[in-house]
Amino acid sequence: MENREIAAIFEEISSLIKILQDDPKWNFKAAAYDRATRSIEALPERLEDIARDTSRKLTDIPGIGADLAKKITEIIETGDSAYHQEQLAKVPRSLLDLLQLQTVGPQKVRLFYKQANIHNVDELEAAAKEGRLRGLPGMSEKSEENILKAIEVFRRAAGRFHLNTALETAEVLTAWLRDSKAVEEVTPAGSLRRGRETVGDLDLLVTGRDPTSIADHFVKFPGIAAILAKGEDKVSVKLKNDLQVDVRMLNRSAYGAALMYFTGSKEHNVALRDRAKRQGWKLNEYGLFHGDELLASRTEEEVYAKLGLPWIPPELRENLGEIEAAENGELPKLVELGDIRGDLQMHTTASDGHASIEEMAAAAKQLGYQYILITDHSKAVTVANGLDEKRAVEHIQRIHAARKNVKGIEIWAGSEVDIMGDGSLDYPDELLKQFDIVLVSVHSRMNMPADEMTARLLRAIENPYVRIMGHPTGRQVLRRDPFLFDLEKVFAAAKKSGVILELNASPERLDLCDRHVKLARDRGMKIIISTDAHDPQHFKLMRYGVTTARRGWMEKSGVLNTLPPEKLLASLRTLPT
Ligand code: DGT
Ligand code: CA
Ligand code: CA
Ligand code: ZN
């Protein structure tokens, strides 16, 4: 049982308490679960390990009292808590789907359920379409529109998983498979290997001595909910987290061809197959053939080479020009995780982070980083404890003072300053000029019409102290589409004034997305990749940003935080004197 899974149960309990409100102390109870959820999410160690260690106590974890400690133990031992099941039984299961909708929290779910007798997404959609929601407290015609938009995103997301969920699951499964003596190699293929932001199912390729014993070992994996198919060379299962996994047992001699085939994308495969056909050859998952004669199959490199191409990185295999580029010797040399020298967006306990400036700096230094930019929230983001002017000035001093405590890494004072509805900034210029680097982003009023949003972003870019635009399109993976605005215009303005666009590496944002990174690259723009860490553990999310940058064809030279500190500072917009 992973911490994430335990936190998810606590989070759902809190939502259920807020929806039901059938206990006089419901709001205190819900708050306790919320606190515990945040605390578990920030915990660097596994709860299972703490629970097992007789010298440790779960109640030593902040926000975990005796009752919640008991529930954690129960969840670890039985997979769930009886209290959770009890609360769940009080509402229709489909009601909780509403929580997946953007702008719908437990209070709204309660409202729809109690006052409009809505039990599921379909009923909510019908009610919104018929204008039946606008009569409810706090609901307008505009909120009905927003709900319909959110439902559309929800439908598109159904059955797909965030990249980090897929990758973490694949890592656990790979380790499990490698435990079998019969297994030689395990390689995740499919959309995961291509680094897509969402994954439909996992495709694991396995080589080894004895397919039957590999299959027998695999189906003993404790996270399996159902075995969908078990054949000679393929096993399909559904995991408890609903992710489907296809495991294919392969012959070593055709590993390259199979890896290519099952990595995809389908579009890339089709284009390669056509290329083979033009030579009078045939390409499939067993190899490249001329009649019955096998031309290549052992490694991907050999198959590509026979087709007259260099090996193409999986992130590019979408048939979006990579085959032509490969043919012309123009494949980009993609940026790598090891190229990254610093992180330029992170939060500390001053706003909504979980660690101090020093803790973040020490962790970054441990990773080999040369610099960090501390970017706590500005005052408009009250829910994230944003800093008012006075606290911001004190925070800058504390950040500068931290340099004496953690040596060997540049610690820069920044802020994630809110772009207000009219495009003005949440801090006056007199304060902005005191930061080393100012990053700006939108956290409110994301549903405004496109022309207003464009004007808002353009105005923010005009402020001469602004140097980075954080999560520039506001989208959230599987949850929220980019806000409406003229992307070309904003990119052009950013390029002209030297404002750098961020690729936010959090797997829930990945904003810019791969397509937008490619657009930026094609326009000769550079980006920075940052994690938006709220905890030292989040630094490891950098890999998802780098993967997305690679999918956008970015080279090292296009990513500014691959530069050493002086060079990075020199390449940012020049500040007014
Ligand atoms: P997903 O699972 O929806 O995130 O996306 P993929 O790309 O992992 O797709 P999946 O799992 O259906 O299939 C894995 C790979 O197998 C896919 O990327 C390419 C290959 N493949 C599957 N079906 C076909 C097909 O009909 N034709 C060709 N050429 N390749 C296929
Ligand atoms: Ca797949
Ligand atoms: Ca599949
Ligand atoms: Zn933000």
Side-chain angles (χ1 to χ4, degrees), residues 160-221:
R160 298 199 66 85
F161 295 78
H162 286 93
L163 179 58
N164 60 324
T165 310
L167 188 77
E168 285 164 20
T169 308
E171 281 172 352
V172 174
L173 285 170
T174 301
W176 174 266
L177 277 161
R178 286 204 176 120
D179 266 353
S180 157
K181 283 196 192 67
V183 169
E184 281 163 12
E185 249 185 278
V186 186
T187 317
S191 50
L192 176 62
R193 182 158 181 248
R194 302 200 310 282
R196 268 193 69 178
E197 63 189 30
T198 66
V199 168
D201 69 8
L202 291 182
D203 305 282
L204 299 183
L205 306 185
V206 185
T207 58
R209 280 183 289 104
D210 172 10
T212 317
S213 81
I214 294 174
D216 289 344
H217 170 74
F218 175 65
V219 297
K220 287 189 207 123
F221 178 71

Side-chain angles (χ1 to χ4, degrees), residues 389-413:
E389 279 86 351
K390 183 163 169 289
R391 287 180 64 214
V393 171
E394 290 162 8
H395 196 45
I396 294 173
Q397 286 161 2
R398 261 199 307 274
I399 294 168
H400 290 172
R403 295 168 178 170
K404 295 191 196 69
N405 304 330
V406 186
K407 298 232 167 67
I409 182 165
E410 300 279 343
I411 308 174
W412 292 325

Side-chain angles (χ1 to χ4, degrees), residues 460 537 577:
Q537 283 191 83
T577 43

Side-chain angles (χ1 to χ4, degrees), residues 160 190-191 194 198-201 203 261-266 269-270 273:
R160 298 199 66 85
S191 50
R194 302 200 310 282
T198 66
V199 168
D201 69 8
D203 305 282
Y261 182 88
F262 291 112
T263 296
S265 67
K266 200 170 153 187
N269 289 355
V270 168
R273 216 158 49 209

